[in-house]
Amino acid sequence: MLNLSDYTSPQNIWHGISLYVQNHFDKYQDHLPASFMDDDLLKALKISAGKHLPPKEYDTFRKAVTSLRKGTTATLKNENLYRLCFVLELKSDIQAQEFFLQYLHRNELSARSLDEFIIISSLKLQLSWKDTCEIRQKYNKQIREQPTSPSVLCEGQTAETYQKIINDEIQTVDRLYSFLDAPENMNFFAKTRNTQYLALFDDVKLEVLYNGDYGQSIRLVTYYGDIQKESILEYYHSLFGLLFSDDNQRLTDKEISSLSCIFENVFMNYDSFLLLVQRKRPIDISSGTFMLNLLKKLLTEDSEEDDDFYINFLDEDEFIGICNDILIYFGFPTLNPECDSFDRLLLDVYRETLNNHPDISNPDFQMEYLSSLRSYLRLIANLP
C-alpha cells in the first residue's frame, strides 16, 4: 500500500532550478561555491536579477524566488519564469526548452503563442530581457488580440513554424521585426497550444468541438477503428473518471473535483472541460491530463497496422520509454517523478501493480494498472 501523503503536496520547482544549476555548473562556477546550498543559489539569483531586470521587476522577481526558496509557494507565474531564463543567462531557445521540459516539468515554450514566439526568438538571438520586453511591448496589441484558438485545426504547423521560421529565417532582430510586421503572419498565432489540444482529442471528429454543449454527441473513434457516439459529458467521465472498457466504476464528479484541487494541472471540473473542448478560453493541457488518456489508448496486442501504439506494459523500460517518446513528440515534459507528484503516483502504482502481478498477461495488466490507479486516486480524493 502506497503512502498517500507522498502525492498530495505540490512539488516545489526550486528543486528543478537547483538541479539545472548543478548539472550546468560550469556556467555558474564564478558565482557559486562548488558545493552550494539553497541560500547561496538564492543570493546568486538575486545578484543576477539585479543586473538583468529593471528595479520594479527586480523587486517582484526577488520576492517570488524568495517565497519559492522558503517553500511558501511551489511555482512561479509565467512572467517570472520568462525572467528566470534571462536571470540564469540561458544562451539559446534550445537551453530554455530543456530547462522548461526537463527541470521545471512544464510544457515547452510554444511558437503558437505570439508572446512566447517573441521570447523564443529573443533567446535564440541572445537579446537582453530589456530588449525582449521592448519587442513584446511593440506588439502588445497583437498579443492581446490573438484569437483563443488558431483559425485552422491542423497538426504540425507549430513544429513547422519553429523549424522554418525560428531556426532558419530569424537570424537577426531586423528579420524578427520583418516577420512580425507582416499582417499575414499574425494569422498563425493563438492563445492555446494546438499541438497538445489535438493530441488530447485525437479520437474526436474536430468539426463538433467548437459547438458542443452538455448533451452534444461527438463522433469518437475508439480502439483505432470502431466508431461510436458519445456525449461530451460521457467523454469527460471517461477521461477524468478513468472509465474504461465495460467498467462502470468511474470516479464521481465530487471525487474529480477534489482531485482538481490536489492535482490542479491534471484534473478539471466539467465546466472547465467544456470550455477547453470548445476553445472558449485558453487552458493549458498538462502532460498528466494527456497521460490519463494515453494509458487507455496504448495497445497491448501487437498488430502490423498499429505498431506505433503497441506497448509491453510488463517491460518497465519499454513502458517508460514509449510514454516518454510520445510525450516529447507532442511537446510535453517526460515523466519525472522527482519534479511532479502525479508522475510519481503513476509510476509508483505501475511498479506496485507489476510486483503484485508477476504472471499476468499484458492486456490484463493494463486493466489492472488502470483499476489500481483509479483506486488510489479515489483514496486521495476522499482524504479528510
Side-chain angles (χ1 to χ4, degrees):
M1 181 70 180
L2 302 179
N3 183 359
L4 302 184
S5 64
D6 290 343
Y7 314 101
T8 53
S9 299
Q11 201 72 21
N12 192 321
I13 67 167
W14 178 265
H15 171 74
I17 297 169
S18 177
L19 186 60
Y20 180 84
V21 172
Q22 289 176 39
N23 290 346
H24 300 81
F25 187 72
D26 57 317
K27 293 168 52 178
Y28 306 106
Q29 59 186 346
D30 292 340
H31 311 289
L32 287 165
S35 299
F36 68 88
M37 306 294 286
D38 285 339
D39 286 341
D40 297 320
L41 177 56
L42 179 61
K43 181 179 178 181
L45 288 175
K46 289 178 180 179
I47 292 172
S48 182
K51 294 192 311 184
H52 293 285
L53 306 179
K56 187 175 181 180
E57 290 190 48
Y58 165 78
D59 196 49
T60 300
F61 181 84
R62 176 188 60 79
K63 290 177 181 176
V65 293
T66 301
S67 295
L68 198 66
R69 158 67 185 95
K70 291 180 177 179
T72 55
T73 186
T75 188
L76 297 172
K77 293 181 179 179
N78 283 347
E79 192 68 13
N80 278 325
L81 288 174
Y82 301 152
R83 290 169 179 144
L84 182 59
C85 292
F86 292 83
V87 169
L88 286 174
E89 299 180 352
L90 305 185
K91 297 301 183 183
S92 71
D93 56 307
I94 295 172
Q95 290 182 10
Q97 299 292 27
E98 176 201 18
F99 180 54
F100 267 64
L101 286 164
Q102 297 182 27
Y103 292 89
L104 301 184
H105 200 260
R106 294 178 61 93
N107 291 347
E108 64 184 358
L109 292 164
S110 176
R112 175 67 71 173
S113 158
L114 176 54
D115 199 19
E116 292 193 354
F117 178 94
I118 291 171
I119 289 168
I120 292 167
S121 300
S122 297
L123 286 164
K124 180 202 169 181
L125 297 173
Q126 297 186 35
L127 303 183
S128 67
W129 174 249
K130 177 176 179 293
D131 291 340
T132 302
C133 289
E134 287 177 357
I135 300 172
R136 295 169 76 200
Q137 185 58 41
K138 176 178 170 62
Y139 297 97
N140 184 52
K141 182 174 183 291
Q142 291 93 322
I143 291 171
R144 286 187 287 105
E145 293 178 354
Q146 291 172 101
T148 300
S149 61
S151 56
V152 178
L153 292 177
C154 182
E155 289 189 28
Q157 289 187 340
T158 305
E160 184 177 329
T161 294
Y162 203 110
Q163 296 299 323
K164 290 188 175 180
I165 305 301
I166 294 178
N167 286 354
D168 298 339
E169 290 190 22
I170 298 178
Q171 303 296 335
T172 65
V173 176
D174 288 341
R175 295 290 293 274
L176 174 59
Y177 278 124
S178 295
F179 179 83
L180 295 176
D181 286 337
E184 64 272 16
N185 291 332
M186 290 296 111
N187 294 331
F188 168 79
F189 297 106
K191 295 176 183 176
T192 53
R193 296 167 181 263
N194 205 42
T195 298
Q196 281 87 355
Y197 177 85
L198 294 174
L200 183 63
F201 294 111
D202 71 331
D203 52 3
V204 176
K205 296 296 183 182
L206 297 178
E207 62 267 18
V208 305
L209 291 177
Y210 286 139
N211 301 312
D213 57 28
Y214 188 89
Q216 172 74 43
S217 289
I218 56 179
R219 290 183 62 76
L220 182 69
V221 183
T222 59
Y223 298 103
Y224 293 91
D226 298 332
I227 304 247
Q228 69 180 40
K229 282 192 174 182
E230 214 176 55
S231 72
I232 294 177
L233 181 61
E234 289 169 333
Y235 190 89
Y236 169 80
H237 284 150
S238 174
L239 175 61
F240 293 105
L242 264 73
L243 184 64
F244 51 91
S245 190
D246 298 324
D247 180 28
N248 60 2
Q249 301 298 314
R250 69 170 179 84
L251 297 171
T252 67
D253 288 354
K254 182 179 179 180
E255 287 167 338
I256 295 171
S257 178
S258 177
L259 290 169
S260 71
C261 298
I262 300 168
F263 304 113
E264 59 183 16
N265 294 325
V266 178
F267 292 86
M268 63 185 78
N269 62 37
Y270 179 72
D271 289 339
S272 294
F273 182 71
L274 193 57
L275 291 173
L276 170 63
V277 169
Q278 299 174 326
R279 290 189 157 194
K280 290 186 176 178
R281 72 173 187 184
I283 302 175
D284 198 11
I285 298 168
S286 74
S287 59
T289 304
F290 178 68
M291 285 297 297
L292 290 176
N293 210 19
L294 178 64
L295 291 172
K296 292 185 290 183
K297 290 180 179 177
L298 291 169
L299 300 180
T300 56
E301 295 181 337
D302 200 359
S303 71
E304 292 182 4
E305 292 146 358
D306 297 307
D307 285 341
D308 288 345
F309 297 96
Y310 171 76
I311 187 171
N312 180 7
F313 274 88
L314 305 178
D315 184 321
E316 182 175 338
D317 290 339
E318 179 179 332
F319 170 72
I320 294 175
I322 288 181
C323 287
N324 283 341
D325 286 345
I326 295 172
L327 287 166
I328 291 170
Y329 180 80
F330 290 116
F332 293 111
T334 57
L335 293 168
N336 191 334
E338 291 187 0
C339 292
D340 185 86
S341 57
F342 189 73
D343 282 2
R344 188 162 60 253
L345 177 67
L346 290 180
L347 292 177
D348 286 352
V349 174
Y350 168 80
R351 290 178 178 124
E352 182 183 72
T353 308
L354 201 61
N355 289 333
N356 290 343
H357 301 276
D359 301 319
I360 199 171
S361 71
N362 196 36
D364 287 345
F365 179 88
Q366 181 188 39
M367 302 296 284
E368 188 67 37
Y369 172 42
L370 290 169
S371 178
S372 183
L373 177 61
R374 185 180 55 198
S375 296
Y376 274 113
L377 286 169
R378 175 166 284 126
L379 290 171
I380 292 171
N382 289 289
L383 284 172

